[in-house]
Amino acid sequence: MRLSALLHQTLLATLLLTAGLTLAEDGPTRRWPLPLPEGQGWRIVELREGNGIRHEEYIPRGQGVEDYQDRILLQRMAAMEMNPEDYLAHVSSGVRQHCGNFTTSGLFATTRHGLPSASVTSYCTRFKDRPYGYVLAQKAIRDGEHLLVVEREWRLPMFRVDETGLPQLDSQNPATDEALKRDIRQTMRWLAEQVHPGTPQPLSTKPSPASARPQPRPR
């Protein structure tokens, strides 16, 4: 199971257990359109819906589900009285437990079109004992009794956090590092300016019917 899918599911199960709640099937999940980032074609590799939760995963065309470098996760779920800041703080706490070193850009909260939201960028230098780490750019929005959670994830070779707490993406290729930093900045702009249910936009890349079938997770 991939990093954030595992963490989101673990967090959700913990919250339900703590609150003594279950997600009843009380009608269709909200279906906000997601304007995928431009610059590369995206394909949907997982689609699941049930018990009030809709889960979608996208990776760029040409990358595989087991060796991907970029991934977008979209989840829609019952809010369970959580605000976006609390939800992302819980997710960051879960990520931290699996990382060699961990830092974030800081949690930023705002309100747009009357809907509260929060965003954060997290840096996991090494995931467990594996030879790679993650950069996660996340945004959560509360719309009534539902949360929309959008995450852009990069999986990259191990890196480090320096003594000042800043991530150092030392791939030995300055051009590659600058391209990733630029991509992270553009993603944060995408999350801030385009990912919002109050301003729905069509998908920039429409998955074909064949690619939209739910795919099994790698084991």
Side-chain angles (χ1 to χ4, degrees):
M1 186 177 287
R2 293 182 287 280
L3 167 69
S4 47
L6 170 63
L7 293 170
H8 282 288
Q9 290 178 14
T10 301
L11 170 61
L12 185 59
T14 301
L15 293 172
L16 290 173
L17 180 62
T18 302
L21 299 173
T22 58
L23 292 181
E25 295 191 36
D26 55 355
T29 311
R30 291 180 184 271
R31 300 198 179 195
W32 292 308
L34 177 67
L36 296 172
E38 298 180 355
Q40 55 187 327
W42 295 88
R43 64 188 180 99
I44 189 166
V45 294
E46 183 156 352
L47 171 58
R48 292 181 282 110
E49 186 168 13
N51 294 324
I53 304 171
R54 182 177 173 88
H55 176 100
E56 302 171 23
E57 292 184 24
Y58 301 83
I59 61 175
R61 297 186 183 280
Q63 295 186 24
V65 293
E66 295 189 19
D67 60 354
Y68 70 93
Q69 296 175 314
D70 304 85
R71 186 174 72 106
I72 290 175
L73 168 70
L74 170 62
Q75 288 186 315
R76 307 172 181 94
M77 67 190 77
M80 298 173 292
E81 304 305 319
M82 291 196 75
N83 62 44
E85 295 168 85
D86 289 341
Y87 185 86
L88 292 184
H90 277 287
V91 173
S92 292
S93 177
V95 174
R96 185 186 300 272
Q97 296 176 26
H98 296 279
C99 298
N101 284 295
F102 180 84
T103 190
T104 75
S105 65
L107 199 60
F108 175 74
T110 188
T111 299
R112 184 174 179 181
H113 300 293
L115 303 180
S117 66
S119 58
V120 66
T121 303
S122 303
Y123 299 85
C124 172
T125 62
R126 183 176 184 177
F127 182 60
K128 294 186 176 180
D129 59 350
R130 300 174 189 176
Y132 52 78
Y134 289 94
V135 177
L136 309 173
Q138 301 166 305
K139 182 174 183 177
I141 304 166
R142 178 153 184 170
D143 185 359
E145 298 303 314
H146 291 80
L147 276 176
L148 168 68
V149 182
V150 180
E151 177 180 296
R152 175 78 184 273
E153 172 188 307
W154 296 265
R155 184 166 66 183
L156 58 157
M158 293 183 298
F159 55 99
R160 64 187 177 90
V161 172
D162 66 20
E163 61 278 1
T164 67
L166 294 176
Q168 300 297 325
L169 308 175
D170 303 322
S171 70
Q172 308 304 314
N173 186 330
T176 298
D177 295 339
E178 286 304 313
L180 176 58
K181 293 175 183 177
R182 184 170 57 251
D183 201 14
I184 293 171
R185 291 193 297 269
Q186 291 173 343
T187 295
M188 294 306 295
R189 190 175 304 118
W190 166 70
L191 289 173
E193 298 176 359
Q194 298 185 51
V195 176
H196 206 281
T199 54
Q201 300 181 32
L203 292 175
S204 61
T205 303
K206 295 183 179 179
S208 64
S211 65
R213 298 193 192 99
Q215 300 293 320
R217 286 180 174 276
R219 298 183 181 277

PDB file of all heavy atoms in Angstrom, residues 121-155:
ATOM      1  N   THR A 121       2.987  21.730   2.929  1.00  0.00           N
ATOM      2  CA  THR A 121       3.937  20.914   2.167  1.00  0.00           C
ATOM      3  C   THR A 121       4.841  20.213   3.160  1.00  0.00           C
ATOM      4  O   THR A 121       5.434  20.867   4.027  1.00  0.00           O
ATOM      5  CB  THR A 121       4.770  21.768   1.200  1.00  0.00           C
ATOM      6  OG1 THR A 121       3.906  22.480   0.328  1.00  0.00           O
ATOM      7  CG2 THR A 121       5.690  20.883   0.363  1.00  0.00           C
ATOM      8  N   SER A 122       4.940  18.895   3.054  1.00  0.00           N
ATOM      9  CA  SER A 122       5.714  18.092   4.000  1.00  0.00           C
ATOM     10  C   SER A 122       6.869  17.399   3.280  1.00  0.00           C
ATOM     11  O   SER A 122       6.741  17.021   2.110  1.00  0.00           O
ATOM     12  CB  SER A 122       4.823  17.032   4.663  1.00  0.00           C
ATOM     13  OG  SER A 122       3.726  17.637   5.318  1.00  0.00           O
ATOM     14  N   TYR A 123       7.971  17.239   3.997  1.00  0.00           N
ATOM     15  CA  TYR A 123       9.175  16.620   3.443  1.00  0.00           C
ATOM     16  C   TYR A 123       9.589  15.452   4.328  1.00  0.00           C
ATOM     17  O   TYR A 123       9.951  15.636   5.493  1.00  0.00           O
ATOM     18  CB  TYR A 123      10.311  17.640   3.367  1.00  0.00           C
ATOM     19  CG  TYR A 123      10.010  18.826   2.482  1.00  0.00           C
ATOM     20  CD1 TYR A 123       9.305  19.922   2.980  1.00  0.00           C
ATOM     21  CD2 TYR A 123      10.420  18.845   1.152  1.00  0.00           C
ATOM     22  CE1 TYR A 123       9.017  21.015   2.167  1.00  0.00           C
ATOM     23  CE2 TYR A 123      10.144  19.943   0.336  1.00  0.00           C
ATOM     24  CZ  TYR A 123       9.435  21.017   0.850  1.00  0.00           C
ATOM     25  OH  TYR A 123       9.153  22.098   0.050  1.00  0.00           O
ATOM     26  N   CYS A 124       9.516  14.245   3.773  1.00  0.00           N
ATOM     27  CA  CYS A 124       9.914  13.024   4.462  1.00  0.00           C
ATOM     28  C   CYS A 124      11.199  12.542   3.801  1.00  0.00           C
ATOM     29  O   CYS A 124      11.176  12.066   2.660  1.00  0.00           O
ATOM     30  CB  CYS A 124       8.799  11.977   4.337  1.00  0.00           C
ATOM     31  SG  CYS A 124       9.226  10.326   4.929  1.00  0.00           S
ATOM     32  N   THR A 125      12.336  12.668   4.499  1.00  0.00           N
ATOM     33  CA  THR A 125      13.626  12.424   3.863  1.00  0.00           C
ATOM     34  C   THR A 125      13.858  10.966   3.481  1.00  0.00           C
ATOM     35  O   THR A 125      14.527  10.670   2.499  1.00  0.00           O
ATOM     36  CB  THR A 125      14.771  12.879   4.780  1.00  0.00           C
ATOM     37  OG1 THR A 125      14.718  12.108   6.004  1.00  0.00           O
ATOM     38  CG2 THR A 125      14.642  14.349   5.114  1.00  0.00           C
ATOM     39  N   ARG A 126      13.303  10.062   4.287  1.00  0.00           N
ATOM     40  CA  ARG A 126      13.412   8.637   3.982  1.00  0.00           C
ATOM     41  C   ARG A 126      12.226   7.925   4.609  1.00  0.00           C
ATOM     42  O   ARG A 126      11.943   8.103   5.792  1.00  0.00           O
ATOM     43  CB  ARG A 126      14.709   8.033   4.524  1.00  0.00           C
ATOM     44  CG  ARG A 126      14.880   6.556   4.162  1.00  0.00           C
ATOM     45  CD  ARG A 126      16.213   6.015   4.632  1.00  0.00           C
ATOM     46  NE  ARG A 126      16.400   4.629   4.184  1.00  0.00           N
ATOM     47  CZ  ARG A 126      17.506   3.920   4.411  1.00  0.00           C
ATOM     48  NH1 ARG A 126      18.510   4.461   5.080  1.00  0.00           N
ATOM     49  NH2 ARG A 126      17.602   2.682   3.966  1.00  0.00           N
ATOM     50  N   PHE A 127      11.525   7.121   3.816  1.00  0.00           N
ATOM     51  CA  PHE A 127      10.341   6.426   4.298  1.00  0.00           C
ATOM     52  C   PHE A 127      10.729   5.040   4.802  1.00  0.00           C
ATOM     53  O   PHE A 127      11.168   4.182   4.027  1.00  0.00           O
ATOM     54  CB  PHE A 127       9.312   6.313   3.175  1.00  0.00           C
ATOM     55  CG  PHE A 127       8.025   5.638   3.594  1.00  0.00           C
ATOM     56  CD1 PHE A 127       7.254   6.167   4.611  1.00  0.00           C
ATOM     57  CD2 PHE A 127       7.608   4.474   2.972  1.00  0.00           C
ATOM     58  CE1 PHE A 127       6.079   5.559   4.996  1.00  0.00           C
ATOM     59  CE2 PHE A 127       6.430   3.859   3.352  1.00  0.00           C
ATOM     60  CZ  PHE A 127       5.660   4.400   4.369  1.00  0.00           C
ATOM     61  N   LYS A 128      10.621   4.864   6.120  1.00  0.00           N
ATOM     62  CA  LYS A 128      11.011   3.606   6.763  1.00  0.00           C
ATOM     63  C   LYS A 128      12.435   3.257   6.373  1.00  0.00           C
ATOM     64  O   LYS A 128      13.327   4.091   6.460  1.00  0.00           O
ATOM     65  CB  LYS A 128      10.004   2.505   6.423  1.00  0.00           C
ATOM     66  CG  LYS A 128       8.614   2.755   7.003  1.00  0.00           C
ATOM     67  CD  LYS A 128       7.683   1.574   6.767  1.00  0.00           C
ATOM     68  CE  LYS A 128       6.341   1.787   7.437  1.00  0.00           C
ATOM     69  NZ  LYS A 128       5.418   0.657   7.233  1.00  0.00           N
ATOM     70  N   ASP A 129      12.668   2.013   5.906  1.00  0.00           N
ATOM     71  CA  ASP A 129      14.026   1.608   5.543  1.00  0.00           C
ATOM     72  C   ASP A 129      14.215   1.566   4.036  1.00  0.00           C
ATOM     73  O   ASP A 129      15.143   0.936   3.537  1.00  0.00           O
ATOM     74  CB  ASP A 129      14.341   0.236   6.141  1.00  0.00           C
ATOM     75  CG  ASP A 129      13.364  -0.842   5.665  1.00  0.00           C
ATOM     76  OD1 ASP A 129      12.338  -0.492   5.031  1.00  0.00           O
ATOM     77  OD2 ASP A 129      13.622  -2.034   5.942  1.00  0.00           O
ATOM     78  N   ARG A 130      13.360   2.277   3.325  1.00  0.00           N
ATOM     79  CA  ARG A 130      13.424   2.248   1.869  1.00  0.00           C
ATOM     80  C   ARG A 130      14.348   3.341   1.340  1.00  0.00           C
ATOM     81  O   ARG A 130      14.581   4.338   2.020  1.00  0.00           O
ATOM     82  CB  ARG A 130      12.009   2.390   1.297  1.00  0.00           C
ATOM     83  CG  ARG A 130      11.114   1.253   1.780  1.00  0.00           C
ATOM     84  CD  ARG A 130       9.676   1.420   1.377  1.00  0.00           C
ATOM     85  NE  ARG A 130       8.828   0.426   2.045  1.00  0.00           N
ATOM     86  CZ  ARG A 130       7.514   0.379   1.930  1.00  0.00           C
ATOM     87  NH1 ARG A 130       6.873   1.253   1.181  1.00  0.00           N
ATOM     88  NH2 ARG A 130       6.831  -0.556   2.575  1.00  0.00           N
ATOM     89  N   PRO A 131      14.883   3.166   0.131  1.00  0.00           N
ATOM     90  CA  PRO A 131      15.884   4.121  -0.371  1.00  0.00           C
ATOM     91  C   PRO A 131      15.273   5.366  -1.001  1.00  0.00           C
ATOM     92  O   PRO A 131      15.856   5.960  -1.906  1.00  0.00           O
ATOM     93  CB  PRO A 131      16.640   3.288  -1.415  1.00  0.00           C
ATOM     94  CG  PRO A 131      15.598   2.365  -1.958  1.00  0.00           C
ATOM     95  CD  PRO A 131      14.722   2.016  -0.777  1.00  0.00           C
ATOM     96  N   TYR A 132      14.112   5.777  -0.545  1.00  0.00           N
ATOM     97  CA  TYR A 132      13.486   6.971  -1.106  1.00  0.00           C
ATOM     98  C   TYR A 132      12.681   7.688  -0.026  1.00  0.00           C
ATOM     99  O   TYR A 132      12.351   7.135   1.026  1.00  0.00           O
ATOM    100  CB  TYR A 132      12.577   6.620  -2.290  1.00  0.00           C
ATOM    101  CG  TYR A 132      11.553   5.540  -2.036  1.00  0.00           C
ATOM    102  CD1 TYR A 132      10.375   5.811  -1.335  1.00  0.00           C
ATOM    103  CD2 TYR A 132      11.759   4.242  -2.499  1.00  0.00           C
ATOM    104  CE1 TYR A 132       9.432   4.818  -1.107  1.00  0.00           C
ATOM    105  CE2 TYR A 132      10.819   3.249  -2.281  1.00  0.00           C
ATOM    106  CZ  TYR A 132       9.662   3.538  -1.586  1.00  0.00           C
ATOM    107  OH  TYR A 132       8.725   2.555  -1.356  1.00  0.00           O
ATOM    108  N   GLY A 133      12.408   8.952  -0.314  1.00  0.00           N
ATOM    109  CA  GLY A 133      11.581   9.770   0.559  1.00  0.00           C
ATOM    110  C   GLY A 133      10.434  10.368  -0.234  1.00  0.00           C
ATOM    111  O   GLY A 133      10.233  10.043  -1.407  1.00  0.00           O
ATOM    112  N   TYR A 134       9.687  11.270   0.411  1.00  0.00           N
ATOM    113  CA  TYR A 134       8.515  11.860  -0.222  1.00  0.00           C
ATOM    114  C   TYR A 134       8.478  13.366   0.020  1.00  0.00           C
ATOM    115  O   TYR A 134       8.911  13.861   1.061  1.00  0.00           O
ATOM    116  CB  TYR A 134       7.228  11.274   0.361  1.00  0.00           C
ATOM    117  CG  TYR A 134       6.944   9.845  -0.024  1.00  0.00           C
ATOM    118  CD1 TYR A 134       7.349   8.793   0.795  1.00  0.00           C
ATOM    119  CD2 TYR A 134       6.259   9.534  -1.196  1.00  0.00           C
ATOM    120  CE1 TYR A 134       7.083   7.481   0.468  1.00  0.00           C
ATOM    121  CE2 TYR A 134       5.990   8.222  -1.531  1.00  0.00           C
ATOM    122  CZ  TYR A 134       6.399   7.198  -0.704  1.00  0.00           C
ATOM    123  OH  TYR A 134       6.131   5.895  -1.039  1.00  0.00           O
ATOM    124  N   VAL A 135       7.919  14.067  -0.947  1.00  0.00           N
ATOM    125  CA  VAL A 135       7.462  15.437  -0.758  1.00  0.00           C
ATOM    126  C   VAL A 135       5.960  15.420  -1.005  1.00  0.00           C
ATOM    127  O   VAL A 135       5.498  14.880  -2.011  1.00  0.00           O
ATOM    128  CB  VAL A 135       8.148  16.417  -1.729  1.00  0.00           C
ATOM    129  CG1 VAL A 135       7.590  17.831  -1.539  1.00  0.00           C
ATOM    130  CG2 VAL A 135       9.660  16.422  -1.510  1.00  0.00           C
ATOM    131  N   LEU A 136       5.187  15.973  -0.076  1.00  0.00           N
ATOM    132  CA  LEU A 136       3.731  15.945  -0.138  1.00  0.00           C
ATOM    133  C   LEU A 136       3.189  17.366  -0.069  1.00  0.00           C
ATOM    134  O   LEU A 136       3.440  18.076   0.910  1.00  0.00           O
ATOM    135  CB  LEU A 136       3.140  15.136   1.022  1.00  0.00           C
ATOM    136  CG  LEU A 136       3.688  13.733   1.261  1.00  0.00           C
ATOM    137  CD1 LEU A 136       3.115  13.163   2.559  1.00  0.00           C
ATOM    138  CD2 LEU A 136       3.349  12.823   0.090  1.00  0.00           C
ATOM    139  N   ALA A 137       2.468  17.786  -1.092  1.00  0.00           N
ATOM    140  CA  ALA A 137       1.773  19.069  -1.074  1.00  0.00           C
ATOM    141  C   ALA A 137       0.291  18.756  -0.922  1.00  0.00           C
ATOM    142  O   ALA A 137      -0.306  18.084  -1.782  1.00  0.00           O
ATOM    143  CB  ALA A 137       2.027  19.841  -2.368  1.00  0.00           C
ATOM    144  N   GLN A 138      -0.327  19.239   0.154  1.00  0.00           N
ATOM    145  CA  GLN A 138      -1.684  18.824   0.507  1.00  0.00           C
ATOM    146  C   GLN A 138      -2.600  20.020   0.747  1.00  0.00           C
ATOM    147  O   GLN A 138      -2.159  21.066   1.236  1.00  0.00           O
ATOM    148  CB  GLN A 138      -1.665  17.976   1.783  1.00  0.00           C
ATOM    149  CG  GLN A 138      -0.821  16.717   1.669  1.00  0.00           C
ATOM    150  CD  GLN A 138      -0.549  16.111   3.029  1.00  0.00           C
ATOM    151  OE1 GLN A 138      -0.042  16.771   3.927  1.00  0.00           O
ATOM    152  NE2 GLN A 138      -0.891  14.846   3.188  1.00  0.00           N
ATOM    153  N   LYS A 139      -3.867  19.824   0.421  1.00  0.00           N
ATOM    154  CA  LYS A 139      -4.888  20.821   0.724  1.00  0.00           C
ATOM    155  C   LYS A 139      -6.143  20.092   1.153  1.00  0.00           C
ATOM    156  O   LYS A 139      -6.532  19.084   0.546  1.00  0.00           O
ATOM    157  CB  LYS A 139      -5.190  21.698  -0.483  1.00  0.00           C
ATOM    158  CG  LYS A 139      -6.223  22.801  -0.199  1.00  0.00           C
ATOM    159  CD  LYS A 139      -6.382  23.730  -1.385  1.00  0.00           C
ATOM    160  CE  LYS A 139      -7.347  24.869  -1.075  1.00  0.00           C
ATOM    161  NZ  LYS A 139      -7.453  25.833  -2.198  1.00  0.00           N
ATOM    162  N   ALA A 140      -6.788  20.594   2.208  1.00  0.00           N
ATOM    163  CA  ALA A 140      -8.064  20.046   2.673  1.00  0.00           C
ATOM    164  C   ALA A 140      -9.075  21.186   2.736  1.00  0.00           C
ATOM    165  O   ALA A 140      -8.749  22.296   3.163  1.00  0.00           O
ATOM    166  CB  ALA A 140      -7.914  19.401   4.049  1.00  0.00           C
ATOM    167  N   ILE A 141     -10.293  20.913   2.271  1.00  0.00           N
ATOM    168  CA  ILE A 141     -11.359  21.911   2.236  1.00  0.00           C
ATOM    169  C   ILE A 141     -12.589  21.310   2.903  1.00  0.00           C
ATOM    170  O   ILE A 141     -12.940  20.154   2.644  1.00  0.00           O
ATOM    171  CB  ILE A 141     -11.722  22.294   0.784  1.00  0.00           C
ATOM    172  CG1 ILE A 141     -10.488  22.791   0.030  1.00  0.00           C
ATOM    173  CG2 ILE A 141     -12.825  23.350   0.754  1.00  0.00           C
ATOM    174  CD1 ILE A 141     -10.683  22.864  -1.462  1.00  0.00           C
ATOM    175  N   ARG A 142     -13.230  22.091   3.739  1.00  0.00           N
ATOM    176  CA  ARG A 142     -14.484  21.627   4.332  1.00  0.00           C
ATOM    177  C   ARG A 142     -15.655  22.311   3.639  1.00  0.00           C
ATOM    178  O   ARG A 142     -15.718  23.536   3.555  1.00  0.00           O
ATOM    179  CB  ARG A 142     -14.528  21.911   5.828  1.00  0.00           C
ATOM    180  CG  ARG A 142     -15.863  21.464   6.429  1.00  0.00           C
ATOM    181  CD  ARG A 142     -15.792  21.115   7.869  1.00  0.00           C
ATOM    182  NE  ARG A 142     -17.091  20.609   8.330  1.00  0.00           N
ATOM    183  CZ  ARG A 142     -17.303  20.036   9.499  1.00  0.00           C
ATOM    184  NH1 ARG A 142     -16.299  19.884  10.332  1.00  0.00           N
ATOM    185  NH2 ARG A 142     -18.505  19.608   9.844  1.00  0.00           N
ATOM    186  N   ASP A 143     -16.591  21.509   3.156  1.00  0.00           N
ATOM    187  CA  ASP A 143     -17.805  21.998   2.511  1.00  0.00           C
ATOM    188  C   ASP A 143     -18.982  21.354   3.221  1.00  0.00           C
ATOM    189  O   ASP A 143     -19.330  20.203   2.947  1.00  0.00           O
ATOM    190  CB  ASP A 143     -17.801  21.648   1.024  1.00  0.00           C
ATOM    191  CG  ASP A 143     -18.989  22.243   0.280  1.00  0.00           C
ATOM    192  OD1 ASP A 143     -19.815  22.911   0.920  1.00  0.00           O
ATOM    193  OD2 ASP A 143     -19.080  22.043  -0.942  1.00  0.00           O
ATOM    194  N   GLY A 144     -19.555  22.066   4.165  1.00  0.00           N
ATOM    195  CA  GLY A 144     -20.655  21.499   4.935  1.00  0.00           C
ATOM    196  C   GLY A 144     -20.176  20.330   5.771  1.00  0.00           C
ATOM    197  O   GLY A 144     -19.266  20.459   6.582  1.00  0.00           O
ATOM    198  N   GLU A 145     -20.760  19.154   5.552  1.00  0.00           N
ATOM    199  CA  GLU A 145     -20.417  17.964   6.320  1.00  0.00           C
ATOM    200  C   GLU A 145     -19.390  17.082   5.619  1.00  0.00           C
ATOM    201  O   GLU A 145     -19.206  15.936   5.988  1.00  0.00           O
ATOM    202  CB  GLU A 145     -21.684  17.145   6.614  1.00  0.00           C
ATOM    203  CG  GLU A 145     -22.706  17.879   7.462  1.00  0.00           C
ATOM    204  CD  GLU A 145     -22.113  18.346   8.781  1.00  0.00           C
ATOM    205  OE1 GLU A 145     -21.431  17.540   9.436  1.00  0.00           O
ATOM    206  OE2 GLU A 145     -22.312  19.518   9.142  1.00  0.00           O
ATOM    207  N   HIS A 146     -18.713  17.644   4.621  1.00  0.00           N
ATOM    208  CA  HIS A 146     -17.747  16.846   3.866  1.00  0.00           C
ATOM    209  C   HIS A 146     -16.392  17.514   3.827  1.00  0.00           C
ATOM    210  O   HIS A 146     -16.275  18.740   3.910  1.00  0.00           O
ATOM    211  CB  HIS A 146     -18.229  16.624   2.429  1.00  0.00           C
ATOM    212  CG  HIS A 146     -19.421  15.738   2.328  1.00  0.00           C
ATOM    213  ND1 HIS A 146     -20.700  16.186   2.560  1.00  0.00           N
ATOM    214  CD2 HIS A 146     -19.531  14.415   2.031  1.00  0.00           C
ATOM    215  CE1 HIS A 146     -21.551  15.184   2.397  1.00  0.00           C
ATOM    216  NE2 HIS A 146     -20.871  14.106   2.086  1.00  0.00           N
ATOM    217  N   LEU A 147     -15.352  16.694   3.702  1.00  0.00           N
ATOM    218  CA  LEU A 147     -13.992  17.156   3.468  1.00  0.00           C
ATOM    219  C   LEU A 147     -13.563  16.730   2.069  1.00  0.00           C
ATOM    220  O   LEU A 147     -13.798  15.591   1.650  1.00  0.00           O
ATOM    221  CB  LEU A 147     -13.013  16.547   4.476  1.00  0.00           C
ATOM    222  CG  LEU A 147     -12.857  17.211   5.849  1.00  0.00           C
ATOM    223  CD1 LEU A 147     -11.903  16.387   6.707  1.00  0.00           C
ATOM    224  CD2 LEU A 147     -12.363  18.638   5.736  1.00  0.00           C
ATOM    225  N   LEU A 148     -12.928  17.637   1.367  1.00  0.00           N
ATOM    226  CA  LEU A 148     -12.234  17.335   0.119  1.00  0.00           C
ATOM    227  C   LEU A 148     -10.748  17.420   0.420  1.00  0.00           C
ATOM    228  O   LEU A 148     -10.267  18.450   0.898  1.00  0.00           O
ATOM    229  CB  LEU A 148     -12.607  18.344  -0.967  1.00  0.00           C
ATOM    230  CG  LEU A 148     -11.748  18.333  -2.237  1.00  0.00           C
ATOM    231  CD1 LEU A 148     -11.963  17.047  -3.015  1.00  0.00           C
ATOM    232  CD2 LEU A 148     -12.057  19.540  -3.105  1.00  0.00           C
ATOM    233  N   VAL A 149     -10.005  16.346   0.168  1.00  0.00           N
ATOM    234  CA  VAL A 149      -8.567  16.301   0.432  1.00  0.00           C
ATOM    235  C   VAL A 149      -7.848  16.024  -0.880  1.00  0.00           C
ATOM    236  O   VAL A 149      -8.116  15.014  -1.543  1.00  0.00           O
ATOM    237  CB  VAL A 149      -8.208  15.209   1.467  1.00  0.00           C
ATOM    238  CG1 VAL A 149      -6.701  15.228   1.737  1.00  0.00           C
ATOM    239  CG2 VAL A 149      -8.985  15.423   2.763  1.00  0.00           C
ATOM    240  N   VAL A 150      -6.950  16.919  -1.261  1.00  0.00           N
ATOM    241  CA  VAL A 150      -6.181  16.774  -2.495  1.00  0.00           C
ATOM    242  C   VAL A 150      -4.706  16.762  -2.134  1.00  0.00           C
ATOM    243  O   VAL A 150      -4.242  17.584  -1.333  1.00  0.00           O
ATOM    244  CB  VAL A 150      -6.470  17.923  -3.476  1.00  0.00           C
ATOM    245  CG1 VAL A 150      -5.656  17.733  -4.762  1.00  0.00           C
ATOM    246  CG2 VAL A 150      -7.951  17.994  -3.801  1.00  0.00           C
ATOM    247  N   GLU A 151      -3.978  15.826  -2.714  1.00  0.00           N
ATOM    248  CA  GLU A 151      -2.551  15.686  -2.396  1.00  0.00           C
ATOM    249  C   GLU A 151      -1.756  15.427  -3.669  1.00  0.00           C
ATOM    250  O   GLU A 151      -2.129  14.580  -4.483  1.00  0.00           O
ATOM    251  CB  GLU A 151      -2.354  14.526  -1.428  1.00  0.00           C
ATOM    252  CG  GLU A 151      -0.915  14.237  -1.066  1.00  0.00           C
ATOM    253  CD  GLU A 151      -0.827  13.068  -0.111  1.00  0.00           C
ATOM    254  OE1 GLU A 151      -1.336  13.194   1.023  1.00  0.00           O
ATOM    255  OE2 GLU A 151      -0.272  12.020  -0.508  1.00  0.00           O
ATOM    256  N   ARG A 152      -0.686  16.163  -3.850  1.00  0.00           N
ATOM    257  CA  ARG A 152       0.296  15.888  -4.903  1.00  0.00           C
ATOM    258  C   ARG A 152       1.527  15.322  -4.211  1.00  0.00           C
ATOM    259  O   ARG A 152       2.041  15.899  -3.246  1.00  0.00           O
ATOM    260  CB  ARG A 152       0.647  17.169  -5.648  1.00  0.00           C
ATOM    261  CG  ARG A 152       1.777  17.014  -6.696  1.00  0.00           C
ATOM    262  CD  ARG A 152       1.326  16.385  -7.971  1.00  0.00           C
ATOM    263  NE  ARG A 152       2.437  16.167  -8.883  1.00  0.00           N
ATOM    264  CZ  ARG A 152       2.899  17.066  -9.758  1.00  0.00           C
ATOM    265  NH1 ARG A 152       2.353  18.268  -9.800  1.00  0.00           N
ATOM    266  NH2 ARG A 152       3.884  16.768 -10.580  1.00  0.00           N
ATOM    267  N   GLU A 153       1.978  14.204  -4.679  1.00  0.00           N
ATOM    268  CA  GLU A 153       3.062  13.479  -4.021  1.00  0.00           C
ATOM    269  C   GLU A 153       4.195  13.220  -5.005  1.00  0.00           C
ATOM    270  O   GLU A 153       3.959  12.823  -6.143  1.00  0.00           O
ATOM    271  CB  GLU A 153       2.510  12.159  -3.494  1.00  0.00           C
ATOM    272  CG  GLU A 153       3.521  11.186  -2.949  1.00  0.00           C
ATOM    273  CD  GLU A 153       2.879   9.846  -2.641  1.00  0.00           C
ATOM    274  OE1 GLU A 153       1.865   9.828  -1.914  1.00  0.00           O
ATOM    275  OE2 GLU A 153       3.384   8.814  -3.138  1.00  0.00           O
ATOM    276  N   TRP A 154       5.413  13.475  -4.558  1.00  0.00           N
ATOM    277  CA  TRP A 154       6.604  13.129  -5.323  1.00  0.00           C
ATOM    278  C   TRP A 154       7.394  12.091  -4.531  1.00  0.00           C
ATOM    279  O   TRP A 154       7.652  12.271  -3.336  1.00  0.00           O
ATOM    280  CB  TRP A 154       7.499  14.345  -5.540  1.00  0.00           C
ATOM    281  CG  TRP A 154       6.916  15.441  -6.365  1.00  0.00           C
ATOM    282  CD1 TRP A 154       7.066  15.652  -7.706  1.00  0.00           C
ATOM    283  CD2 TRP A 154       6.107  16.535  -5.890  1.00  0.00           C
ATOM    284  NE1 TRP A 154       6.406  16.784  -8.090  1.00  0.00           N
ATOM    285  CE2 TRP A 154       5.801  17.347  -7.001  1.00  0.00           C
ATOM    286  CE3 TRP A 154       5.613  16.888  -4.626  1.00  0.00           C
ATOM    287  CZ2 TRP A 154       5.027  18.495  -6.894  1.00  0.00           C
ATOM    288  CZ3 TRP A 154       4.832  18.022  -4.514  1.00  0.00           C
ATOM    289  CH2 TRP A 154       4.546  18.823  -5.642  1.00  0.00           C
ATOM    290  N   ARG A 155       7.793  11.025  -5.183  1.00  0.00           N
ATOM    291  CA  ARG A 155       8.663  10.023  -4.556  1.00  0.00           C
ATOM    292  C   ARG A 155      10.044  10.169  -5.195  1.00  0.00           C
ATOM    293  O   ARG A 155      10.186  10.065  -6.415  1.00  0.00           O
ATOM    294  CB  ARG A 155       8.122   8.611  -4.774  1.00  0.00           C
ATOM    295  CG  ARG A 155       8.932   7.546  -4.052  1.00  0.00           C
ATOM    296  CD  ARG A 155       8.199   6.224  -3.989  1.00  0.00           C
ATOM    297  NE  ARG A 155       8.015   5.611  -5.289  1.00  0.00           N
ATOM    298  CZ  ARG A 155       7.347   4.472  -5.480  1.00  0.00           C
ATOM    299  NH1 ARG A 155       6.784   3.856  -4.456  1.00  0.00           N
ATOM    300  NH2 ARG A 155       7.213   3.968  -6.685  1.00  0.00           N
TER     301      ARG A 155
END
